[in-house]
Amino acid sequence: MTPARSWHMRRHLPVKENGGLATVDLLAPGGSKAAWAAAVEAGADAVYVGLNKFSARTYADNFSLTELAGVIRESHRAGVKIYLAFNSLIKEGELGQAWRLLAACSELEPDALIIQDLGLNRLVASYFPHVPRHASTLTAVYSLPGLMTLVAAGFSRAVLARELALDEVASLAAHSPIGLEVFVHGALCFSFSGLCLMSSFLGGHSALRGGCTQPCRRLYQRGGRKEVFFSTTDLSAAPYLNELRRLPLASFKIEGRMKGPDYVSRVVRAYRMLLDAPDRDWVYALAEAENILAGAPGRRTTGGFLSSTGVGGPLAPLSVTTSGLKLGFLEPGPPGRGRVTLLERPVAVGDRLRLQLGIGEVGAAFNLKGIILNGEEVDEAPAGASVVLIVPALSGQKGVLFKVASGREERVFLASPLVRAVRGAVKNSSSMAHDFGSVPLELRVPRGVSARCLVRRPEFWLWLEKTEDLRDIGEFAAKKIILPLIPSNLRYFRRNRRHLKKEAARLVWSLPSLIFYRRQAELGQEVQDLAAAGFNDFMVANIGQINLLQRHVRDAVALKIWGDHHLGLLNHLAEAALADLGLVGATLSLEMDDETAGGFWSRPATLGRLVYLFGRPALFTSRFLLESRGNSPFVSSKGEKFYLTREGEGTIISAERPVFLAPLLKKPPLPGGVGFILDLRREPHPTVRLRELKKILVGGGQSQGSAFNLKRSLF
């Protein structure tokens, strides 16, 4: 059966049909001991869990090393695999700690590590090569070139981006050189996973390190409307599973390490039923599975990008943003109490609740302390009852009340034989504080500044939006000019080929963050034409673009690939990994704090190092195509303004306030430094801005802009 074509996708993707049902694992989240037990008992083939450090779900309960040892042992006894999420970006100063944790974890024999950071991947390959590695969805891989790059980096599986259509998944499954994992249920994000900088920009809590504060769920004003413009529904691939299970995929993944055991149990049972149902029973199985899923705490669900119609759509700007089962509207009562008429759901003491105060304004979760029904305290109340809830945390507050998790099911699963066995193992275990020897020298942050490869004076790279802007930069001494590889710039190049050939040595063509199938084919030919004309410098925004360039430029020696700030360069091992993949230089991460920057300034380089000094970078990079509305800004409750632009096949949201990492100019020369990037894209008046910057850079004037995380910690 050929997968349904999606409403917003290309219709010429190569798809190889697979008539039989594929053997595919059902992979469940285990954010706590109770959730892990629920997943195993509900029929998961594998569970992914995280430690208290370096897991991209900081706010989940997660596991200690001794707990992990028990979880792996009991899972293997039950025939269930355990994948350990080590999927945070790693700061330079954290490499030693990461090595110690990995040394301990490798002895426990997890079935695979889930990794985002290329430096961490290199570390595992060097010191723990027997542990299989899966590339996290945070690597933002969505194309065959991306999969080929992962193969070169030694990954055995890729967790595909959630922003892919059914026909795109089918095409990748038919041609992938490694196993593929696809999300089938759970939360969606407005921004592409791995490309979101908004939370980090606003307060240093990085989505790439598990600290996302969900700014996409907040209320913004645009024109005369107040909405949660960037809020998405949850994904449910249940209606598409009959097509998906016929594809040669390795794993179906359920999102939700922040979810309780009641959610995990229901979702795993539903998808287990769908995976195992014979074709003749499919209609019945789907109806029964959707009935089970309706009772799982979450948001309204859609097919996300798998949808063939787009009806309703994955964006939900008018809906509530809280994840959970709606109980009713809570009215304030006496101090520490509130009144609610339960709509369709019962409630019990110990349930985890959350109050939505208004659109885009969500309160903290809390445990229900007590229930008063008909003047008497009770342990639970049925649907339809009018009750008084004892809620000390919500005195005087009102709003829509949601049940996030069931306290009763939490207690049931915590009392399960699986959890008791883990607790017993923890109680009787010897300390996990083994002596694994000294941290390897290459992982220690050296003191002082390297004397090698120093830039003696600042050199600047200008990033322009249009080729026509070249004539407006005046006498500004730019070492390199970066130009987006877009159709309008290529048309200008073809009309002015002879003039631009004089600039070949300093022109760098930058690729957009999102390049899907049709554009990849076109771009390959454009890259060939540029290389044939003597233009050999290109800048990539995604690791998949490395392979794309290498396949289309015949003269591999002349090809120079630079990496932009999207590659998440926070440690020197990631830098070395990019060099192994063929880059000549890369931009340090925009998210780095002063301590991390100090690590780079004290260590010799393996690549030419670039620093993004000034610009309005993409904070959200999305496949959702929002209306431009005459460039009307999105205004937060704090008055911050954000603007929408289109880049390639994506939507970019950037801040009115530019980034200006001026404190870095006061540091000693950067080892291996090749330049500071001045990004004039998205500037309404780039030539005026360039004159202002020149005064500041030459004359030492006052800088205006956000220092991002340089004056605070990166969490």
Side-chain angles (χ1 to χ4, degrees):
M1 180 181 295
T2 303
R5 296 289 180 178
S6 300
W7 61 276
H8 57 297
M9 291 298 106
R10 314 307 181 205
R11 296 184 172 272
H12 58 283
L13 289 169
V15 176
K16 186 165 84 178
E17 296 183 29
N18 180 7
L21 296 182
T23 300
V24 58
D25 281 350
L26 181 59
L27 176 60
S32 66
K33 290 188 288 293
W36 158 72
V40 173
E41 293 179 10
D45 298 301
V47 182
Y48 61 103
V49 301
L51 292 169
N52 296 320
K53 186 75 173 175
F54 305 129
S55 163
R57 279 294 181 268
T58 299
Y59 306 120
D61 287 349
N62 293 317
F63 296 88
S64 66
L65 277 171
T66 50
E67 288 173 332
L68 179 64
V71 163
I72 291 176
R73 187 190 66 205
E74 295 304 317
S75 297
H76 286 174
R77 282 180 178 175
V80 173
K81 294 182 282 257
I82 289 292
Y83 302 146
L84 180 58
F86 226 94
N87 55 339
S88 172
L89 287 183
I90 309 295
K91 296 195 287 187
E92 178 69 22
E94 297 171 335
L95 286 172
Q97 185 181 2
W99 182 86
R100 291 189 187 94
L101 269 179
L102 286 167
C105 291
S106 67
E107 290 196 345
L108 304 180
E109 298 184 344
D111 294 278
L113 295 175
I114 305 171
I115 294 173
Q116 172 195 185
D117 192 294
L118 291 178
L120 187 71
N121 177 59
R122 195 173 196 268
L123 189 157
V124 176
S126 298
Y127 296 98
F128 316 104
H130 62 284
V131 183
R133 287 161 280 144
H134 296 176
S136 167
T137 191
L138 292 168
T139 57
V141 168
Y142 56 86
S143 66
L144 188 58
L147 296 174
M148 299 305 295
T149 301
L150 293 180
V151 170
F155 288 99
S156 60
R157 181 182 294 186
V159 186
L160 288 179
R162 288 170 289 179
E163 294 80 6
L164 293 176
L166 196 55
D167 47 357
E168 291 175 310
V169 173
S171 178
L172 292 176
H175 299 88
S176 177
I178 55 177
L180 297 184
E181 194 166 288
V182 175
F183 279 95
V184 294
H185 203 90
L188 293 168
C189 296
F190 176 76
S191 185
F192 233 83
S193 296
L195 299 178
C196 184
L197 295 176
M198 182 69 86
S199 180
S200 187
F201 176 79
L202 293 176
H205 295 271
S206 172
L208 308 183
R209 287 171 52 83
C212 182
T213 56
Q214 295 193 317
C216 55
R217 305 287 183 190
R218 298 177 189 172
L219 188 67
Y220 296 86
Q221 180 168 331
R222 195 182 195 201
R225 296 167 55 190
K226 284 188 177 181
E227 293 182 10
V228 280
F229 292 97
F230 311 119
S231 184
T232 59
T233 64
D234 283 359
L235 166 67
S236 176
Y240 307 95
L241 213 73
N242 204 21
E243 289 92 345
L244 285 168
R245 66 181 183 156
R246 284 172 160 73
L247 302 177
L249 297 167
S251 180
F252 287 155
K253 187 170 191 172
I254 298 166
E255 186 275 338
R257 274 196 290 143
M258 298 288 291
K259 299 290 190 180
D262 49 336
Y263 171 92
V264 173
S265 178
R266 280 181 171 272
V267 177
V268 172
R269 282 193 290 119
Y271 282 91
R272 181 80 274 158
M273 178 185 298
L274 292 174
L275 269 177
D276 297 343
D279 282 344
R280 65 179 179 274
D281 295 334
W282 176 256
V283 174
Y284 166 79
L286 179 59
E288 182 62 22
E290 290 188 324
N291 183 54
I292 295 171
L293 292 171
R299 301 178 184 88
R300 179 172 70 86
T301 60
T302 67
F305 285 90
L306 296 173
S307 173
S308 60
T309 63
V311 175
L315 277 179
L318 296 176
S319 69
V320 293
T321 56
T322 300
S323 178
L325 298 170
K326 186 177 179 181
L327 294 177
F329 191 87
L330 185 74
E331 296 281 1
R337 301 187 178 191
R339 300 178 183 277
V340 63
T341 297
L342 301 174
L343 298 175
E344 300 176 358
R345 309 283 179 186
V347 71
V349 173
D351 283 351
R352 191 78 170 159
L353 307 181
R354 191 187 297 273
L355 188 69
Q356 174 141 338
L357 305 173
I359 297 178
E361 188 178 0
V362 178
F366 61 93
N367 292 327
L368 181 59
K369 300 297 184 184
I371 305 170
I372 300 174
L373 175 62
N374 298 326
E376 295 183 4
E377 281 205 38
V378 296
D379 291 332
E380 60 182 316
S386 294
V387 296
V388 174
L389 304 182
I390 300 175
V391 284
L394 298 180
S395 290
Q397 294 184 330
K398 63 180 180 179
V400 182
L401 190 65
F402 292 84
K403 180 161 74 173
V404 178
S406 166
R408 173 178 293 174
E409 294 198 42
E410 179 87 18
R411 293 189 294 273
V412 167
F413 284 109
L414 283 175
S416 74
L418 286 168
V419 174
R420 288 203 306 270
V422 170
R423 285 176 170 165
V426 170
K427 184 177 180 180
N428 298 322
S429 68
S430 58
S431 172
M432 291 291 294
H434 300 309
D435 181 10
F436 295 103
S438 300
V439 172
L441 184 62
E442 68 166 334
L443 306 183
R444 303 178 202 171
V445 178
R447 298 175 179 269
V449 179
S450 169
R452 289 185 286 168
C453 304
L454 299 184
V455 172
R456 298 303 176 187
R457 59 184 178 81
E459 294 186 290
F460 297 100
W461 292 34
L462 288 185
W463 204 336
L464 305 177
E465 182 67 43
K466 303 188 298 292
T467 314
E468 292 93 322
D469 293 337
L470 278 168
R471 59 175 176 254
D472 297 325
I473 62 176
E475 298 178 357
F476 190 86
K479 180 182 179 182
K480 292 278 190 180
I481 304 291
I482 309 171
L483 289 173
L485 187 49
I486 56 177
S488 59
N489 283 341
L490 285 168
R491 286 193 295 270
Y492 184 93
F493 162 73
R494 288 168 182 138
R495 291 195 304 268
N496 300 274
R497 183 184 297 255
R498 184 176 299 176
H499 169 70
L500 285 180
K501 265 197 118 169
K502 300 175 183 177
E503 298 282 3
R506 67 170 187 160
L507 277 185
V508 180
W509 295 93
S510 67
L511 280 61
S513 302
L514 303 180
I515 308 172
F516 296 102
Y517 186 79
R518 173 180 290 174
R519 182 66 185 127
Q520 287 174 24
E522 295 170 347
L523 189 137
Q525 185 59 54
E526 293 164 358
V527 165
Q528 286 183 18
D529 292 345
L530 287 168
F535 295 87
N536 297 304
D537 288 65
F538 297 89
M539 179 168 281
V540 298
N542 181 280
I543 59 172
Q545 296 167 1
I546 301 171
N547 176 267
L548 189 150
L549 288 171
Q550 290 169 337
R551 285 191 298 112
H552 286 94
V553 176
R554 292 192 180 94
D555 189 353
V557 176
L559 177 63
K560 295 180 181 178
I561 304 177
W562 305 87
D564 79 5
H565 58 275
H566 286 103
L567 299 187
L569 185 51
L570 284 174
N571 62 73
H572 80 280
L573 289 185
E575 181 178 68
L578 291 171
D580 291 342
L581 291 172
L583 269 66
V584 297
T587 311
L588 304 187
S589 171
L590 263 174
E591 294 192 276
M592 65 180 173
D593 50 23
D594 188 62
E595 179 185 9
T596 304
F600 281 103
W601 256 258
S602 62
R603 186 180 290 278
T606 51
L607 282 177
R609 289 171 173 167
L610 288 163
V611 173
Y612 188 103
L613 184 66
F614 176 90
R616 290 186 170 84
L619 303 177
F620 286 147
T621 301
S622 180
R623 200 174 188 180
F624 293 109
L625 299 178
L626 298 182
E627 298 176 21
S628 58
R629 293 187 191 169
N631 209 26
S632 178
F634 300 90
V635 185
S636 75
S637 60
K638 296 182 179 180
E640 303 147 321
K641 293 182 179 179
F642 303 94
Y643 288 88
L644 179 154
T645 55
R646 294 283 168 78
E647 181 184 287
E649 298 179 68
T651 295
I652 300 300
I653 302 295
S654 55
E656 179 185 50
R657 186 185 186 200
V659 169
F660 194 3
L661 305 187
L664 296 180
L665 292 171
K666 299 178 182 179
K667 287 184 175 292
L670 173 64
V674 293
F676 292 94
I677 294 175
L678 303 178
D679 185 0
L680 301 181
R681 298 172 302 164
R682 309 179 191 112
E683 283 290 334
H685 305 289
T687 53
V688 174
R689 176 64 77 179
L690 185 58
R691 285 197 295 270
E692 293 174 354
L693 288 171
K694 186 175 181 180
K695 289 180 181 178
I696 294 171
L697 296 171
V698 175
Q702 187 66 32
S703 63
Q704 299 293 326
S706 167
F708 222 104
N709 294 322
L710 286 179
K711 295 183 179 180
R712 63 192 178 206
S713 294
L714 168 62
F715 301 105

